[in-house]
Each structure stands twice: as C-alpha cells, then as structure tokens.
Amino acid sequence: MENVKKVKAPLQAEEAAALRAGDMVALSGVIYTARDAAHKRMLAALEKGEALPFDLEGNVIYYVGPCPARPPRVFGSCGPTTSFRMDAYAPALLDRGLRGMIGKGQRTGPVTEAMVRNGAVYFAAIGGAAAILSRSVKQASVVAYEDLGPEAVYRLEVEDFPCIVAVDAAGNDLYKTGPERFRK
C-alpha cells in the first residue's frame, strides 16, 4: 500500500512523536493484549506496588479478546475492542511508560492528556476485519491472567498489522478532525 508507514514495536519516543493523526501504519514487532479485566488487575498490582506481567516502557497494548485459533493460524480472529472501556485505566499505564494503544472508537480527555504528557499514540484498528487482522499475528503466548481466557494478557509478535493513527502524541484526534474535513 502506498503512504503506509512501517512502524516497529516497542515504540521509541522519536518514532511515536513523528506519527500524525491519519497516518496509515503497518505495525511490526512485539505488542501485548489486554482488555477490561486485565487492566483492572494491572492497576490493582500497581496500587499494591507489585510488578506488572510485562514492562510497559515503550510497549503497545492491543485491546482485544481473540477467538480460538483455527489451524494453521497461531491466533484467532482478533478485532479491536471499544477503547473507551479502558479509559479509566489508561492514564496510569501511560504515566508508567506505555507508548501505544490499539482499539476502536474515541478516547476521553484524560486519556488524550496523558498521551500528550507521555508522548504516546493511539492506533485504530478496523472493526469487522478480525479474521484479516489475525493474519498479521505470527506468534502468540499467554503471559498473565490465564484464568481470564481470551481476555488474558498475550504477547504477540505481529508483522505489518494494519492500523491508523487515531490520536497522535500532540493530541491531534482523527475522530474530530476527520469529520470536520468533510463538513461543508
């Protein structure tokens, strides 16, 4: 695809800062999954002074609960979860080094403020394309909270995972600027 930026995870601060809302991205490298229940546990661990199941520094969390994998796939269909459900937890994780998030839908003001404060980005993945997104997952393993089933924390190795920068590190929000471009 033309005009697609190749991005490597974990994200370096400079790389995150160079991305702009609306950029199409092919994300490769290591990312982690987590949804509501995993976020709640991670925040509880932080409040108790306990270690998290993975180092947040520079990492990307994909808000997803996959379906079971069908051979030969290593990961099942994996469409994005509505990101708003993680907004109560995201600022605390961003303040501890999280550099990127992948999901769908708008983010609240406190999340955007934490992104700007920490130089992080929010990527939107295409809902309804779960089977296609799973093709980008080359390896997957559970790293924490296995009892949560599909909502466990997974470590994924992805290659050319397609997404769009929805909110950049400067706070530019495609969910706001995109519609404005088409209003007449």
Side-chain angles (χ1 to χ4, degrees), residues 49-61:
E50 298 172 356
L52 293 180
F54 63 95
D55 182 15
L56 291 174
E57 191 61 41
N59 275 307
V60 175
I61 293 179

Side-chain angles (χ1 to χ4, degrees), residues 70-113:
R70 289 177 30 177
R73 301 254 187 264
V74 298
F75 204 59
S77 292
C78 55
T81 297
T82 302
S83 300
F84 174 79
R85 293 170 31 198
M86 273 52 74
D87 282 7
Y89 312 106
L93 300 180
L94 289 161
D95 287 342
R96 286 171 176 81
L98 183 66
R99 182 79 33 79
M101 300 158 290
I102 305 170
K104 67 178 180 183
Q106 294 177 295
R107 305 311 297 266
T108 58
V111 174
T112 301
E113 291 164 11

